[in-house]
Amino acid sequence: MSQPTDSRAVIEYKVPATKLRAGDLVNTSPGNEDDWQQVISVHTAERPGGDGSAGADSDGLADLIAEVGDRYVAVQMTDVAPVDSPVYLQDGAAMAYGLDGSGDVPVTELLSNSESVRTFLYTRFELVTVRS
């Protein structure tokens, strides 16, 4: 396979869940509609308090890891939901077309809270899809 010539090209690959680190981009739904989220912190039996990321143990993840032992990897990541509807501007407001016959709504009603976080438990043997 030849190397992409476009500098914007992205390569997807898999890494063991134990090798994830803050900043990685993870596809939480490979094989379906892609759902890419950014890793905030990674917690393992070797690193129960996390990998040094901001807020690493604010949610008691060290207690969870103590309970599940070395079988799982807890990963906190962003929770950025897609806006799956076309957007238009009306009187200075961004609106999204309603889906399934519902009325149009302000885009701000569809956006994720900027502090939303997802927590996933991967087995320590699992391969996780990431991208460069």
Side-chain angles (χ1 to χ4, degrees), residues 80-101:
V80 180
V83 176
D84 290 329
S85 180
V87 174
Y88 65 94
L89 299 175
Q90 177 180 352
D91 300 324
M95 301 291 290
Y97 287 103
L99 300 174
D100 300 326

PDB file of all heavy atoms in Angstrom, residues 80-101:
ATOM      1  N   VAL A  80     -18.825  14.196  22.630  1.00  0.00           N
ATOM      2  CA  VAL A  80     -19.235  15.209  21.662  1.00  0.00           C
ATOM      3  C   VAL A  80     -20.190  14.555  20.671  1.00  0.00           C
ATOM      4  O   VAL A  80     -19.778  13.707  19.878  1.00  0.00           O
ATOM      5  CB  VAL A  80     -18.018  15.811  20.923  1.00  0.00           C
ATOM      6  CG1 VAL A  80     -18.461  16.858  19.919  1.00  0.00           C
ATOM      7  CG2 VAL A  80     -17.039  16.401  21.927  1.00  0.00           C
ATOM      8  N   ALA A  81     -21.460  14.932  20.751  1.00  0.00           N
ATOM      9  CA  ALA A  81     -22.472  14.350  19.875  1.00  0.00           C
ATOM     10  C   ALA A  81     -22.474  15.055  18.523  1.00  0.00           C
ATOM     11  O   ALA A  81     -22.296  16.270  18.447  1.00  0.00           O
ATOM     12  CB  ALA A  81     -23.847  14.471  20.519  1.00  0.00           C
ATOM     13  N   PRO A  82     -22.699  14.292  17.451  1.00  0.00           N
ATOM     14  CA  PRO A  82     -22.765  14.928  16.137  1.00  0.00           C
ATOM     15  C   PRO A  82     -24.070  15.698  15.973  1.00  0.00           C
ATOM     16  O   PRO A  82     -25.072  15.401  16.629  1.00  0.00           O
ATOM     17  CB  PRO A  82     -22.724  13.736  15.176  1.00  0.00           C
ATOM     18  CG  PRO A  82     -23.310  12.612  15.957  1.00  0.00           C
ATOM     19  CD  PRO A  82     -22.899  12.849  17.387  1.00  0.00           C
ATOM     20  N   VAL A  83     -24.055  16.692  15.115  1.00  0.00           N
ATOM     21  CA  VAL A  83     -25.274  17.381  14.699  1.00  0.00           C
ATOM     22  C   VAL A  83     -25.609  16.781  13.346  1.00  0.00           C
ATOM     23  O   VAL A  83     -24.958  17.087  12.348  1.00  0.00           O
ATOM     24  CB  VAL A  83     -25.064  18.906  14.633  1.00  0.00           C
ATOM     25  CG1 VAL A  83     -26.312  19.597  14.100  1.00  0.00           C
ATOM     26  CG2 VAL A  83     -24.688  19.445  16.009  1.00  0.00           C
ATOM     27  N   ASP A  84     -26.588  15.886  13.321  1.00  0.00           N
ATOM     28  CA  ASP A  84     -26.890  15.105  12.126  1.00  0.00           C
ATOM     29  C   ASP A  84     -27.920  15.755  11.208  1.00  0.00           C
ATOM     30  O   ASP A  84     -28.516  15.086  10.381  1.00  0.00           O
ATOM     31  CB  ASP A  84     -27.390  13.717  12.525  1.00  0.00           C
ATOM     32  CG  ASP A  84     -26.299  12.865  13.126  1.00  0.00           C
ATOM     33  OD1 ASP A  84     -25.135  13.047  12.738  1.00  0.00           O
ATOM     34  OD2 ASP A  84     -26.605  12.026  13.986  1.00  0.00           O
ATOM     35  N   SER A  85     -28.136  17.016  11.381  1.00  0.00           N
ATOM     36  CA  SER A  85     -29.126  17.713  10.577  1.00  0.00           C
ATOM     37  C   SER A  85     -28.474  18.923   9.916  1.00  0.00           C
ATOM     38  O   SER A  85     -27.593  19.542  10.503  1.00  0.00           O
ATOM     39  CB  SER A  85     -30.262  18.169  11.490  1.00  0.00           C
ATOM     40  OG  SER A  85     -31.246  18.842  10.759  1.00  0.00           O
ATOM     41  N   PRO A  86     -28.902  19.256   8.704  1.00  0.00           N
ATOM     42  CA  PRO A  86     -28.365  20.468   8.080  1.00  0.00           C
ATOM     43  C   PRO A  86     -28.670  21.709   8.935  1.00  0.00           C
ATOM     44  O   PRO A  86     -29.693  21.771   9.611  1.00  0.00           O
ATOM     45  CB  PRO A  86     -29.107  20.541   6.741  1.00  0.00           C
ATOM     46  CG  PRO A  86     -29.562  19.150   6.481  1.00  0.00           C
ATOM     47  CD  PRO A  86     -29.826  18.542   7.825  1.00  0.00           C
ATOM     48  N   VAL A  87     -27.762  22.656   8.882  1.00  0.00           N
ATOM     49  CA  VAL A  87     -27.876  23.876   9.684  1.00  0.00           C
ATOM     50  C   VAL A  87     -28.086  25.063   8.752  1.00  0.00           C
ATOM     51  O   VAL A  87     -27.514  25.113   7.670  1.00  0.00           O
ATOM     52  CB  VAL A  87     -26.589  24.073  10.531  1.00  0.00           C
ATOM     53  CG1 VAL A  87     -26.599  25.392  11.271  1.00  0.00           C
ATOM     54  CG2 VAL A  87     -26.410  22.903  11.497  1.00  0.00           C
ATOM     55  N   TYR A  88     -28.907  26.001   9.191  1.00  0.00           N
ATOM     56  CA  TYR A  88     -29.109  27.237   8.429  1.00  0.00           C
ATOM     57  C   TYR A  88     -29.173  28.407   9.399  1.00  0.00           C
ATOM     58  O   TYR A  88     -29.364  28.216  10.607  1.00  0.00           O
ATOM     59  CB  TYR A  88     -30.374  27.165   7.557  1.00  0.00           C
ATOM     60  CG  TYR A  88     -31.671  27.075   8.344  1.00  0.00           C
ATOM     61  CD1 TYR A  88     -32.402  28.224   8.661  1.00  0.00           C
ATOM     62  CD2 TYR A  88     -32.169  25.839   8.754  1.00  0.00           C
ATOM     63  CE1 TYR A  88     -33.589  28.141   9.367  1.00  0.00           C
ATOM     64  CE2 TYR A  88     -33.351  25.748   9.461  1.00  0.00           C
ATOM     65  CZ  TYR A  88     -34.069  26.899   9.761  1.00  0.00           C
ATOM     66  OH  TYR A  88     -35.244  26.824  10.471  1.00  0.00           O
ATOM     67  N   LEU A  89     -28.965  29.599   8.893  1.00  0.00           N
ATOM     68  CA  LEU A  89     -29.018  30.812   9.716  1.00  0.00           C
ATOM     69  C   LEU A  89     -30.322  31.550   9.433  1.00  0.00           C
ATOM     70  O   LEU A  89     -30.702  31.732   8.278  1.00  0.00           O
ATOM     71  CB  LEU A  89     -27.818  31.709   9.428  1.00  0.00           C
ATOM     72  CG  LEU A  89     -26.463  31.068   9.720  1.00  0.00           C
ATOM     73  CD1 LEU A  89     -25.337  31.990   9.279  1.00  0.00           C
ATOM     74  CD2 LEU A  89     -26.326  30.715  11.181  1.00  0.00           C
ATOM     75  N   GLN A  90     -30.979  31.959  10.513  1.00  0.00           N
ATOM     76  CA  GLN A  90     -32.233  32.702  10.384  1.00  0.00           C
ATOM     77  C   GLN A  90     -32.239  33.808  11.418  1.00  0.00           C
ATOM     78  O   GLN A  90     -32.178  33.538  12.617  1.00  0.00           O
ATOM     79  CB  GLN A  90     -33.430  31.777  10.600  1.00  0.00           C
ATOM     80  CG  GLN A  90     -34.755  32.491  10.541  1.00  0.00           C
ATOM     81  CD  GLN A  90     -35.916  31.533  10.751  1.00  0.00           C
ATOM     82  OE1 GLN A  90     -35.754  30.323  10.793  1.00  0.00           O
ATOM     83  NE2 GLN A  90     -37.091  32.097  10.894  1.00  0.00           N
ATOM     84  N   ASP A  91     -32.270  35.042  10.948  1.00  0.00           N
ATOM     85  CA  ASP A  91     -32.283  36.206  11.834  1.00  0.00           C
ATOM     86  C   ASP A  91     -31.138  36.164  12.840  1.00  0.00           C
ATOM     87  O   ASP A  91     -31.322  36.446  14.027  1.00  0.00           O
ATOM     88  CB  ASP A  91     -33.630  36.310  12.568  1.00  0.00           C
ATOM     89  CG  ASP A  91     -34.805  36.462  11.613  1.00  0.00           C
ATOM     90  OD1 ASP A  91     -34.635  37.130  10.573  1.00  0.00           O
ATOM     91  OD2 ASP A  91     -35.882  35.900  11.916  1.00  0.00           O
ATOM     92  N   GLY A  92     -29.968  35.749  12.394  1.00  0.00           N
ATOM     93  CA  GLY A  92     -28.784  35.724  13.237  1.00  0.00           C
ATOM     94  C   GLY A  92     -28.678  34.515  14.151  1.00  0.00           C
ATOM     95  O   GLY A  92     -27.738  34.415  14.936  1.00  0.00           O
ATOM     96  N   ALA A  93     -29.636  33.587  14.077  1.00  0.00           N
ATOM     97  CA  ALA A  93     -29.598  32.391  14.920  1.00  0.00           C
ATOM     98  C   ALA A  93     -29.334  31.166  14.054  1.00  0.00           C
ATOM     99  O   ALA A  93     -29.892  31.041  12.961  1.00  0.00           O
ATOM    100  CB  ALA A  93     -30.910  32.215  15.667  1.00  0.00           C
ATOM    101  N   ALA A  94     -28.498  30.257  14.532  1.00  0.00           N
ATOM    102  CA  ALA A  94     -28.241  29.003  13.835  1.00  0.00           C
ATOM    103  C   ALA A  94     -29.351  28.020  14.189  1.00  0.00           C
ATOM    104  O   ALA A  94     -29.627  27.769  15.363  1.00  0.00           O
ATOM    105  CB  ALA A  94     -26.882  28.443  14.231  1.00  0.00           C
ATOM    106  N   MET A  95     -29.988  27.484  13.159  1.00  0.00           N
ATOM    107  CA  MET A  95     -31.099  26.542  13.343  1.00  0.00           C
ATOM    108  C   MET A  95     -30.755  25.234  12.637  1.00  0.00           C
ATOM    109  O   MET A  95     -30.029  25.221  11.646  1.00  0.00           O
ATOM    110  CB  MET A  95     -32.391  27.116  12.750  1.00  0.00           C
ATOM    111  CG  MET A  95     -32.827  28.440  13.339  1.00  0.00           C
ATOM    112  SD  MET A  95     -33.388  28.287  15.043  1.00  0.00           S
ATOM    113  CE  MET A  95     -34.916  27.391  14.841  1.00  0.00           C
ATOM    114  N   ALA A  96     -31.292  24.134  13.154  1.00  0.00           N
ATOM    115  CA  ALA A  96     -31.120  22.827  12.526  1.00  0.00           C
ATOM    116  C   ALA A  96     -32.485  22.352  12.061  1.00  0.00           C
ATOM    117  O   ALA A  96     -33.487  22.496  12.781  1.00  0.00           O
ATOM    118  CB  ALA A  96     -30.520  21.834  13.511  1.00  0.00           C
ATOM    119  N   TYR A  97     -32.506  21.814  10.848  1.00  0.00           N
ATOM    120  CA  TYR A  97     -33.754  21.279  10.324  1.00  0.00           C
ATOM    121  C   TYR A  97     -34.227  20.144  11.214  1.00  0.00           C
ATOM    122  O   TYR A  97     -33.438  19.306  11.657  1.00  0.00           O
ATOM    123  CB  TYR A  97     -33.571  20.768   8.895  1.00  0.00           C
ATOM    124  CG  TYR A  97     -33.430  21.868   7.879  1.00  0.00           C
ATOM    125  CD1 TYR A  97     -32.189  22.198   7.360  1.00  0.00           C
ATOM    126  CD2 TYR A  97     -34.542  22.576   7.438  1.00  0.00           C
ATOM    127  CE1 TYR A  97     -32.050  23.207   6.424  1.00  0.00           C
ATOM    128  CE2 TYR A  97     -34.420  23.601   6.512  1.00  0.00           C
ATOM    129  CZ  TYR A  97     -33.169  23.909   6.011  1.00  0.00           C
ATOM    130  OH  TYR A  97     -33.040  24.911   5.095  1.00  0.00           O
ATOM    131  N   GLY A  98     -35.523  20.103  11.486  1.00  0.00           N
ATOM    132  CA  GLY A  98     -36.100  19.032  12.289  1.00  0.00           C
ATOM    133  C   GLY A  98     -36.054  17.709  11.552  1.00  0.00           C
ATOM    134  O   GLY A  98     -36.136  17.662  10.323  1.00  0.00           O
ATOM    135  N   LEU A  99     -35.893  16.638  12.277  1.00  0.00           N
ATOM    136  CA  LEU A  99     -35.859  15.301  11.692  1.00  0.00           C
ATOM    137  C   LEU A  99     -37.188  14.594  11.942  1.00  0.00           C
ATOM    138  O   LEU A  99     -37.862  14.845  12.947  1.00  0.00           O
ATOM    139  CB  LEU A  99     -34.710  14.486  12.294  1.00  0.00           C
ATOM    140  CG  LEU A  99     -33.307  15.068  12.087  1.00  0.00           C
ATOM    141  CD1 LEU A  99     -32.283  14.253  12.862  1.00  0.00           C
ATOM    142  CD2 LEU A  99     -32.954  15.111  10.607  1.00  0.00           C
ATOM    143  N   ASP A 100     -37.556  13.709  11.051  1.00  0.00           N
ATOM    144  CA  ASP A 100     -38.767  12.891  11.196  1.00  0.00           C
ATOM    145  C   ASP A 100     -40.015  13.732  11.434  1.00  0.00           C
ATOM    146  O   ASP A 100     -40.848  13.402  12.277  1.00  0.00           O
ATOM    147  CB  ASP A 100     -38.600  11.864  12.327  1.00  0.00           C
ATOM    148  CG  ASP A 100     -37.450  10.912  12.082  1.00  0.00           C
ATOM    149  OD1 ASP A 100     -37.217  10.579  10.900  1.00  0.00           O
ATOM    150  OD2 ASP A 100     -36.789  10.510  13.049  1.00  0.00           O
ATOM    151  N   GLY A 101     -40.129  14.852  10.715  1.00  0.00           N
ATOM    152  CA  GLY A 101     -41.337  15.672  10.791  1.00  0.00           C
ATOM    153  C   GLY A 101     -41.404  16.619  11.973  1.00  0.00           C
ATOM    154  O   GLY A 101     -42.383  17.332  12.127  1.00  0.00           O
TER     155      GLY A 101
END
